[in-house]
PDB file of all heavy atoms in Angstrom:
ATOM      1  N   LEU A 198     144.688  90.350 115.982  1.00  0.00           N
ATOM      2  CA  LEU A 198     144.312  90.109 114.590  1.00  0.00           C
ATOM      3  C   LEU A 198     143.017  90.829 114.224  1.00  0.00           C
ATOM      4  O   LEU A 198     142.902  91.427 113.147  1.00  0.00           O
ATOM      5  CB  LEU A 198     144.169  88.603 114.342  1.00  0.00           C
ATOM      6  CG  LEU A 198     145.461  87.776 114.351  1.00  0.00           C
ATOM      7  CD1 LEU A 198     145.137  86.288 114.183  1.00  0.00           C
ATOM      8  CD2 LEU A 198     146.410  88.230 113.261  1.00  0.00           C
ATOM      9  N   VAL A 199     142.035  90.774 115.118  1.00  0.00           N
ATOM     10  CA  VAL A 199     140.766  91.472 114.867  1.00  0.00           C
ATOM     11  C   VAL A 199     140.985  92.981 114.842  1.00  0.00           C
ATOM     12  O   VAL A 199     140.409  93.696 114.011  1.00  0.00           O
ATOM     13  CB  VAL A 199     139.723  91.080 115.931  1.00  0.00           C
ATOM     14  CG1 VAL A 199     138.447  91.902 115.765  1.00  0.00           C
ATOM     15  CG2 VAL A 199     139.409  89.592 115.847  1.00  0.00           C
ATOM     16  N   ALA A 200     141.848  93.477 115.744  1.00  0.00           N
ATOM     17  CA  ALA A 200     142.152  94.917 115.762  1.00  0.00           C
ATOM     18  C   ALA A 200     142.849  95.337 114.473  1.00  0.00           C
ATOM     19  O   ALA A 200     142.594  96.435 113.946  1.00  0.00           O
ATOM     20  CB  ALA A 200     143.024  95.242 116.974  1.00  0.00           C
ATOM     21  N   ALA A 201     143.716  94.476 113.957  1.00  0.00           N
ATOM     22  CA  ALA A 201     144.391  94.783 112.689  1.00  0.00           C
ATOM     23  C   ALA A 201     143.388  94.850 111.541  1.00  0.00           C
ATOM     24  O   ALA A 201     143.484  95.722 110.663  1.00  0.00           O
ATOM     25  CB  ALA A 201     145.461  93.735 112.407  1.00  0.00           C
ATOM     26  N   GLN A 202     142.420  93.942 111.536  1.00  0.00           N
ATOM     27  CA  GLN A 202     141.363  93.996 110.521  1.00  0.00           C
ATOM     28  C   GLN A 202     140.600  95.321 110.605  1.00  0.00           C
ATOM     29  O   GLN A 202     140.374  95.991 109.585  1.00  0.00           O
ATOM     30  CB  GLN A 202     140.379  92.837 110.716  1.00  0.00           C
ATOM     31  CG  GLN A 202     140.903  91.468 110.312  1.00  0.00           C
ATOM     32  CD  GLN A 202     139.872  90.392 110.588  1.00  0.00           C
ATOM     33  OE1 GLN A 202     139.224  90.388 111.642  1.00  0.00           O
ATOM     34  NE2 GLN A 202     139.719  89.471 109.658  1.00  0.00           N
ATOM     35  N   ASP A 203     140.218  95.685 111.807  1.00  0.00           N
ATOM     36  CA  ASP A 203     139.411  96.892 111.995  1.00  0.00           C
ATOM     37  C   ASP A 203     140.157  98.149 111.584  1.00  0.00           C
ATOM     38  O   ASP A 203     139.583  99.051 110.961  1.00  0.00           O
ATOM     39  CB  ASP A 203     138.974  97.004 113.464  1.00  0.00           C
ATOM     40  CG  ASP A 203     138.006  95.896 113.863  1.00  0.00           C
ATOM     41  OD1 ASP A 203     137.386  95.308 112.958  1.00  0.00           O
ATOM     42  OD2 ASP A 203     137.886  95.617 115.074  1.00  0.00           O
ATOM     43  N   VAL A 204     141.433  98.220 111.905  1.00  0.00           N
ATOM     44  CA  VAL A 204     142.169  99.458 111.669  1.00  0.00           C
ATOM     45  C   VAL A 204     142.376  99.702 110.176  1.00  0.00           C
ATOM     46  O   VAL A 204     142.293 100.843 109.711  1.00  0.00           O
ATOM     47  CB  VAL A 204     143.514  99.454 112.437  1.00  0.00           C
ATOM     48  CG1 VAL A 204     144.508  98.492 111.820  1.00  0.00           C
ATOM     49  CG2 VAL A 204     144.115 100.848 112.489  1.00  0.00           C
ATOM     50  N   VAL A 205     142.622  98.648 109.386  1.00  0.00           N
ATOM     51  CA  VAL A 205     142.836  98.859 107.951  1.00  0.00           C
ATOM     52  C   VAL A 205     141.524  99.088 107.209  1.00  0.00           C
ATOM     53  O   VAL A 205     141.472  99.832 106.226  1.00  0.00           O
ATOM     54  CB  VAL A 205     143.613  97.683 107.326  1.00  0.00           C
ATOM     55  CG1 VAL A 205     145.028  97.635 107.880  1.00  0.00           C
ATOM     56  CG2 VAL A 205     142.901  96.356 107.553  1.00  0.00           C
ATOM     57  N   VAL A 206     140.443  98.458 107.691  1.00  0.00           N
ATOM     58  CA  VAL A 206     139.149  98.636 107.039  1.00  0.00           C
ATOM     59  C   VAL A 206     138.571 100.010 107.360  1.00  0.00           C
ATOM     60  O   VAL A 206     138.057 100.708 106.481  1.00  0.00           O
ATOM     61  CB  VAL A 206     138.170  97.516 107.457  1.00  0.00           C
ATOM     62  CG1 VAL A 206     136.761  97.811 106.949  1.00  0.00           C
ATOM     63  CG2 VAL A 206     138.639  96.173 106.927  1.00  0.00           C
ATOM     64  N   SER A 207     138.657 100.418 108.627  1.00  0.00           N
ATOM     65  CA  SER A 207     138.094 101.705 109.029  1.00  0.00           C
ATOM     66  C   SER A 207     138.824 102.891 108.405  1.00  0.00           C
ATOM     67  O   SER A 207     138.242 103.959 108.205  1.00  0.00           O
ATOM     68  CB  SER A 207     138.115 101.842 110.556  1.00  0.00           C
ATOM     69  OG  SER A 207     139.444 101.768 111.049  1.00  0.00           O
ATOM     70  N   ASN A 209     140.174 102.701 105.363  1.00  0.00           N
ATOM     71  CA  ASN A 209     140.124 102.476 103.910  1.00  0.00           C
ATOM     72  C   ASN A 209     141.481 102.066 103.324  1.00  0.00           C
ATOM     73  O   ASN A 209     141.757 102.297 102.152  1.00  0.00           O
ATOM     74  CB  ASN A 209     139.620 103.733 103.182  1.00  0.00           C
ATOM     75  CG  ASN A 209     138.203 104.095 103.587  1.00  0.00           C
ATOM     76  OD1 ASN A 209     137.358 103.207 103.766  1.00  0.00           O
ATOM     77  ND2 ASN A 209     137.931 105.386 103.744  1.00  0.00           N
ATOM     78  N   THR A 210     142.308 101.449 104.157  1.00  0.00           N
ATOM     79  CA  THR A 210     143.576 100.929 103.659  1.00  0.00           C
ATOM     80  C   THR A 210     143.366  99.606 102.927  1.00  0.00           C
ATOM     81  O   THR A 210     144.129  99.265 102.017  1.00  0.00           O
ATOM     82  CB  THR A 210     144.555 100.727 104.828  1.00  0.00           C
ATOM     83  OG1 THR A 210     144.683 101.954 105.549  1.00  0.00           O
ATOM     84  CG2 THR A 210     145.930 100.297 104.335  1.00  0.00           C
ATOM     85  N   ALA A 211     142.329  98.860 103.322  1.00  0.00           N
ATOM     86  CA  ALA A 211     141.986  97.589 102.678  1.00  0.00           C
ATOM     87  C   ALA A 211     140.488  97.369 102.850  1.00  0.00           C
ATOM     88  O   ALA A 211     139.838  97.970 103.713  1.00  0.00           O
ATOM     89  CB  ALA A 211     142.780  96.440 103.290  1.00  0.00           C
ATOM     90  N   SER A 212     139.951  96.509 101.993  1.00  0.00           N
ATOM     91  CA  SER A 212     138.526  96.187 102.084  1.00  0.00           C
ATOM     92  C   SER A 212     138.320  94.998 103.017  1.00  0.00           C
ATOM     93  O   SER A 212     139.273  94.311 103.389  1.00  0.00           O
ATOM     94  CB  SER A 212     137.966  95.860 100.700  1.00  0.00           C
ATOM     95  OG  SER A 212     138.587  94.684 100.185  1.00  0.00           O
ATOM     96  N   GLU A 213     137.065  94.755 103.384  1.00  0.00           N
ATOM     97  CA  GLU A 213     136.767  93.625 104.264  1.00  0.00           C
ATOM     98  C   GLU A 213     137.130  92.301 103.604  1.00  0.00           C
ATOM     99  O   GLU A 213     137.598  91.375 104.270  1.00  0.00           O
ATOM    100  CB  GLU A 213     135.287  93.631 104.643  1.00  0.00           C
ATOM    101  CG  GLU A 213     134.906  94.751 105.607  1.00  0.00           C
ATOM    102  CD  GLU A 213     133.484  94.597 106.114  1.00  0.00           C
ATOM    103  OE1 GLU A 213     132.863  93.547 105.829  1.00  0.00           O
ATOM    104  OE2 GLU A 213     132.994  95.509 106.783  1.00  0.00           O
ATOM    105  N   SER A 214     136.910  92.200 102.301  1.00  0.00           N
ATOM    106  CA  SER A 214     137.251  90.956 101.604  1.00  0.00           C
ATOM    107  C   SER A 214     138.764  90.723 101.571  1.00  0.00           C
ATOM    108  O   SER A 214     139.213  89.569 101.562  1.00  0.00           O
ATOM    109  CB  SER A 214     136.697  90.990 100.174  1.00  0.00           C
ATOM    110  OG  SER A 214     137.241  92.082  99.451  1.00  0.00           O
ATOM    111  N   ASP A 215     139.535  91.800 101.575  1.00  0.00           N
ATOM    112  CA  ASP A 215     140.997  91.653 101.548  1.00  0.00           C
ATOM    113  C   ASP A 215     141.523  91.010 102.826  1.00  0.00           C
ATOM    114  O   ASP A 215     142.560  90.331 102.800  1.00  0.00           O
ATOM    115  CB  ASP A 215     141.671  93.017 101.358  1.00  0.00           C
ATOM    116  CG  ASP A 215     141.435  93.598  99.973  1.00  0.00           C
ATOM    117  OD1 ASP A 215     141.180  92.814  99.045  1.00  0.00           O
ATOM    118  OD2 ASP A 215     141.481  94.844  99.830  1.00  0.00           O
ATOM    119  N   VAL A 216     140.839  91.247 103.945  1.00  0.00           N
ATOM    120  CA  VAL A 216     141.331  90.746 105.241  1.00  0.00           C
ATOM    121  C   VAL A 216     140.423  89.663 105.803  1.00  0.00           C
ATOM    122  O   VAL A 216     140.424  89.409 107.001  1.00  0.00           O
ATOM    123  CB  VAL A 216     141.456  91.916 106.247  1.00  0.00           C
ATOM    124  CG1 VAL A 216     142.491  92.914 105.791  1.00  0.00           C
ATOM    125  CG2 VAL A 216     140.106  92.599 106.461  1.00  0.00           C
ATOM    126  N   SER A 217     139.636  89.027 104.943  1.00  0.00           N
ATOM    127  CA  SER A 217     138.699  88.001 105.408  1.00  0.00           C
ATOM    128  C   SER A 217     139.385  86.663 105.692  1.00  0.00           C
ATOM    129  O   SER A 217     138.789  85.777 106.295  1.00  0.00           O
ATOM    130  CB  SER A 217     137.591  87.790 104.368  1.00  0.00           C
ATOM    131  OG  SER A 217     138.141  87.365 103.136  1.00  0.00           O
ATOM    132  N   THR A 218     140.643  86.513 105.230  1.00  0.00           N
ATOM    133  CA  THR A 218     141.414  85.299 105.514  1.00  0.00           C
ATOM    134  C   THR A 218     142.719  85.686 106.192  1.00  0.00           C
ATOM    135  O   THR A 218     143.156  86.837 106.120  1.00  0.00           O
ATOM    136  CB  THR A 218     141.723  84.516 104.225  1.00  0.00           C
ATOM    137  OG1 THR A 218     142.556  85.324 103.375  1.00  0.00           O
ATOM    138  CG2 THR A 218     140.441  84.166 103.485  1.00  0.00           C
ATOM    139  N   TYR A 219     143.324  84.701 106.831  1.00  0.00           N
ATOM    140  CA  TYR A 219     144.602  84.960 107.506  1.00  0.00           C
ATOM    141  C   TYR A 219     145.677  85.330 106.480  1.00  0.00           C
ATOM    142  O   TYR A 219     146.456  86.262 106.676  1.00  0.00           O
ATOM    143  CB  TYR A 219     145.020  83.731 108.307  1.00  0.00           C
ATOM    144  CG  TYR A 219     146.029  84.017 109.408  1.00  0.00           C
ATOM    145  CD1 TYR A 219     146.337  83.055 110.357  1.00  0.00           C
ATOM    146  CD2 TYR A 219     146.679  85.254 109.502  1.00  0.00           C
ATOM    147  CE1 TYR A 219     147.243  83.300 111.373  1.00  0.00           C
ATOM    148  CE2 TYR A 219     147.592  85.510 110.508  1.00  0.00           C
ATOM    149  CZ  TYR A 219     147.875  84.526 111.438  1.00  0.00           C
ATOM    150  OH  TYR A 219     148.787  84.793 112.431  1.00  0.00           O
ATOM    151  N   ALA A 220     145.696  84.601 105.365  1.00  0.00           N
ATOM    152  CA  ALA A 220     146.689  84.903 104.325  1.00  0.00           C
ATOM    153  C   ALA A 220     146.467  86.298 103.748  1.00  0.00           C
ATOM    154  O   ALA A 220     147.426  87.031 103.471  1.00  0.00           O
ATOM    155  CB  ALA A 220     146.620  83.852 103.221  1.00  0.00           C
ATOM    156  N   GLY A 221     145.205  86.673 103.567  1.00  0.00           N
ATOM    157  CA  GLY A 221     144.901  88.004 103.041  1.00  0.00           C
ATOM    158  C   GLY A 221     145.328  89.110 103.982  1.00  0.00           C
ATOM    159  O   GLY A 221     145.889  90.140 103.558  1.00  0.00           O
ATOM    160  N   LEU A 222     145.063  88.926 105.271  1.00  0.00           N
ATOM    161  CA  LEU A 222     145.469  89.928 106.257  1.00  0.00           C
ATOM    162  C   LEU A 222     146.986  90.031 106.330  1.00  0.00           C
ATOM    163  O   LEU A 222     147.540  91.134 106.443  1.00  0.00           O
ATOM    164  CB  LEU A 222     144.893  89.561 107.628  1.00  0.00           C
ATOM    165  CG  LEU A 222     145.234  90.493 108.794  1.00  0.00           C
ATOM    166  CD1 LEU A 222     144.728  91.914 108.529  1.00  0.00           C
ATOM    167  CD2 LEU A 222     144.665  89.970 110.105  1.00  0.00           C
ATOM    168  N   THR A 223     147.667  88.895 106.247  1.00  0.00           N
ATOM    169  CA  THR A 223     149.131  88.898 106.262  1.00  0.00           C
ATOM    170  C   THR A 223     149.685  89.611 105.026  1.00  0.00           C
ATOM    171  O   THR A 223     150.696  90.321 105.104  1.00  0.00           O
ATOM    172  CB  THR A 223     149.668  87.464 106.320  1.00  0.00           C
ATOM    173  OG1 THR A 223     149.027  86.754 107.381  1.00  0.00           O
ATOM    174  CG2 THR A 223     151.162  87.446 106.581  1.00  0.00           C
ATOM    175  N   LYS A 224     149.022  89.434 103.899  1.00  0.00           N
ATOM    176  CA  LYS A 224     149.453  90.107 102.673  1.00  0.00           C
ATOM    177  C   LYS A 224     149.302  91.620 102.790  1.00  0.00           C
ATOM    178  O   LYS A 224     150.178  92.385 102.365  1.00  0.00           O
ATOM    179  CB  LYS A 224     148.644  89.590 101.488  1.00  0.00           C
ATOM    180  CG  LYS A 224     149.061  90.185 100.155  1.00  0.00           C
ATOM    181  CD  LYS A 224     148.237  89.606  99.008  1.00  0.00           C
ATOM    182  CE  LYS A 224     148.667  90.201  97.674  1.00  0.00           C
ATOM    183  NZ  LYS A 224     147.871  89.630  96.548  1.00  0.00           N
ATOM    184  N   VAL A 225     148.193  92.078 103.379  1.00  0.00           N
ATOM    185  CA  VAL A 225     147.987  93.513 103.581  1.00  0.00           C
ATOM    186  C   VAL A 225     149.070  94.089 104.480  1.00  0.00           C
ATOM    187  O   VAL A 225     149.579  95.195 104.251  1.00  0.00           O
ATOM    188  CB  VAL A 225     146.579  93.778 104.176  1.00  0.00           C
ATOM    189  CG1 VAL A 225     146.439  95.237 104.603  1.00  0.00           C
ATOM    190  CG2 VAL A 225     145.498  93.415 103.163  1.00  0.00           C
ATOM    191  N   ALA A 226     149.461  93.336 105.512  1.00  0.00           N
ATOM    192  CA  ALA A 226     150.431  93.839 106.482  1.00  0.00           C
ATOM    193  C   ALA A 226     151.865  93.712 105.988  1.00  0.00           C
ATOM    194  O   ALA A 226     152.668  94.645 106.136  1.00  0.00           O
ATOM    195  CB  ALA A 226     150.270  93.099 107.813  1.00  0.00           C
ATOM    196  N   LEU A 227     152.207  92.566 105.396  1.00  0.00           N
ATOM    197  CA  LEU A 227     153.605  92.267 105.072  1.00  0.00           C
ATOM    198  C   LEU A 227     153.864  92.101 103.577  1.00  0.00           C
ATOM    199  O   LEU A 227     154.991  91.762 103.196  1.00  0.00           O
ATOM    200  CB  LEU A 227     154.047  90.997 105.809  1.00  0.00           C
ATOM    201  CG  LEU A 227     153.913  91.020 107.333  1.00  0.00           C
ATOM    202  CD1 LEU A 227     154.247  89.650 107.908  1.00  0.00           C
ATOM    203  CD2 LEU A 227     154.793  92.090 107.950  1.00  0.00           C
ATOM    204  N   LEU A 355     140.212  80.111 112.415  1.00  0.00           N
ATOM    205  CA  LEU A 355     139.112  80.883 112.990  1.00  0.00           C
ATOM    206  C   LEU A 355     138.566  81.972 112.077  1.00  0.00           C
ATOM    207  O   LEU A 355     137.488  82.513 112.341  1.00  0.00           O
ATOM    208  CB  LEU A 355     139.564  81.522 114.321  1.00  0.00           C
ATOM    209  CG  LEU A 355     139.976  80.538 115.418  1.00  0.00           C
ATOM    210  CD1 LEU A 355     140.395  81.284 116.674  1.00  0.00           C
ATOM    211  CD2 LEU A 355     138.839  79.573 115.728  1.00  0.00           C
ATOM    212  N   PHE A 356     139.293  82.308 111.010  1.00  0.00           N
ATOM    213  CA  PHE A 356     138.807  83.367 110.119  1.00  0.00           C
ATOM    214  C   PHE A 356     137.513  82.954 109.417  1.00  0.00           C
ATOM    215  O   PHE A 356     136.623  83.779 109.198  1.00  0.00           O
ATOM    216  CB  PHE A 356     139.886  83.725 109.095  1.00  0.00           C
ATOM    217  CG  PHE A 356     140.938  84.644 109.622  1.00  0.00           C
ATOM    218  CD1 PHE A 356     141.918  84.178 110.479  1.00  0.00           C
ATOM    219  CD2 PHE A 356     140.954  85.990 109.281  1.00  0.00           C
ATOM    220  CE1 PHE A 356     142.894  85.017 110.983  1.00  0.00           C
ATOM    221  CE2 PHE A 356     141.920  86.833 109.771  1.00  0.00           C
ATOM    222  CZ  PHE A 356     142.896  86.357 110.626  1.00  0.00           C
ATOM    223  N   GLY A 357     137.415  81.693 109.057  1.00  0.00           N
ATOM    224  CA  GLY A 357     136.194  81.211 108.425  1.00  0.00           C
ATOM    225  C   GLY A 357     135.003  81.300 109.364  1.00  0.00           C
ATOM    226  O   GLY A 357     133.886  81.619 108.944  1.00  0.00           O
ATOM    227  N   GLN A 359     134.669  83.477 111.835  1.00  0.00           N
ATOM    228  CA  GLN A 359     134.353  84.899 111.960  1.00  0.00           C
ATOM    229  C   GLN A 359     133.541  85.391 110.764  1.00  0.00           C
ATOM    230  O   GLN A 359     132.541  86.102 110.935  1.00  0.00           O
ATOM    231  CB  GLN A 359     135.641  85.711 112.075  1.00  0.00           C
ATOM    232  CG  GLN A 359     135.425  87.209 112.210  1.00  0.00           C
ATOM    233  CD  GLN A 359     136.664  88.005 111.842  1.00  0.00           C
ATOM    234  OE1 GLN A 359     137.375  87.655 110.909  1.00  0.00           O
ATOM    235  NE2 GLN A 359     136.921  89.074 112.577  1.00  0.00           N
ATOM    236  N   GLN A 360     133.955  85.015 109.568  1.00  0.00           N
ATOM    237  CA  GLN A 360     133.276  85.481 108.367  1.00  0.00           C
ATOM    238  C   GLN A 360     131.871  84.897 108.231  1.00  0.00           C
ATOM    239  O   GLN A 360     131.028  85.466 107.533  1.00  0.00           O
ATOM    240  CB  GLN A 360     134.102  85.142 107.124  1.00  0.00           C
ATOM    241  CG  GLN A 360     135.452  85.832 107.074  1.00  0.00           C
ATOM    242  CD  GLN A 360     135.334  87.346 107.169  1.00  0.00           C
ATOM    243  OE1 GLN A 360     134.532  87.956 106.476  1.00  0.00           O
ATOM    244  NE2 GLN A 360     136.142  87.937 108.037  1.00  0.00           N
ATOM    245  N   LYS A 365     129.822  90.287 113.043  1.00  0.00           N
ATOM    246  CA  LYS A 365     131.220  89.895 113.267  1.00  0.00           C
ATOM    247  C   LYS A 365     131.812  90.514 114.528  1.00  0.00           C
ATOM    248  O   LYS A 365     132.826  90.033 115.038  1.00  0.00           O
ATOM    249  CB  LYS A 365     132.063  90.264 112.049  1.00  0.00           C
ATOM    250  CG  LYS A 365     131.659  89.523 110.779  1.00  0.00           C
ATOM    251  CD  LYS A 365     132.500  89.947 109.603  1.00  0.00           C
ATOM    252  CE  LYS A 365     132.101  89.183 108.341  1.00  0.00           C
ATOM    253  NZ  LYS A 365     130.672  89.389 107.973  1.00  0.00           N
ATOM    254  N   ILE A 499     151.680  91.800 112.630  1.00  0.00           N
ATOM    255  CA  ILE A 499     150.614  92.232 111.720  1.00  0.00           C
ATOM    256  C   ILE A 499     149.924  93.487 112.252  1.00  0.00           C
ATOM    257  O   ILE A 499     149.664  94.442 111.502  1.00  0.00           O
ATOM    258  CB  ILE A 499     149.598  91.088 111.515  1.00  0.00           C
ATOM    259  CG1 ILE A 499     150.233  89.978 110.678  1.00  0.00           C
ATOM    260  CG2 ILE A 499     148.331  91.594 110.855  1.00  0.00           C
ATOM    261  CD1 ILE A 499     149.370  88.734 110.551  1.00  0.00           C
ATOM    262  N   CYS A 503     149.927  96.992 110.248  1.00  0.00           N
ATOM    263  CA  CYS A 503     148.636  97.526 109.805  1.00  0.00           C
ATOM    264  C   CYS A 503     148.369  98.904 110.402  1.00  0.00           C
ATOM    265  O   CYS A 503     147.836  99.796 109.726  1.00  0.00           O
ATOM    266  CB  CYS A 503     147.511  96.564 110.187  1.00  0.00           C
ATOM    267  SG  CYS A 503     147.440  95.069 109.163  1.00  0.00           S
TER     268      CYS A 503
END
Side-chain angles (χ1 to χ4, degrees):
L198 290 176
V199 174
Q202 287 178 317
D203 293 339
V204 72
V205 294
V206 171
S207 60
N209 298 321
T210 305
S212 64
E213 289 188 8
S214 60
D215 291 336
V216 296
S217 60
T218 63
Y219 200 169
L222 179 60
T223 309
K224 183 179 180 180
V225 171
L227 303 174
L355 299 180
F356 279 75
Q359 180 200 38
Q360 297 304 312
K365 297 179 179 59
I499 289 173
C503 286

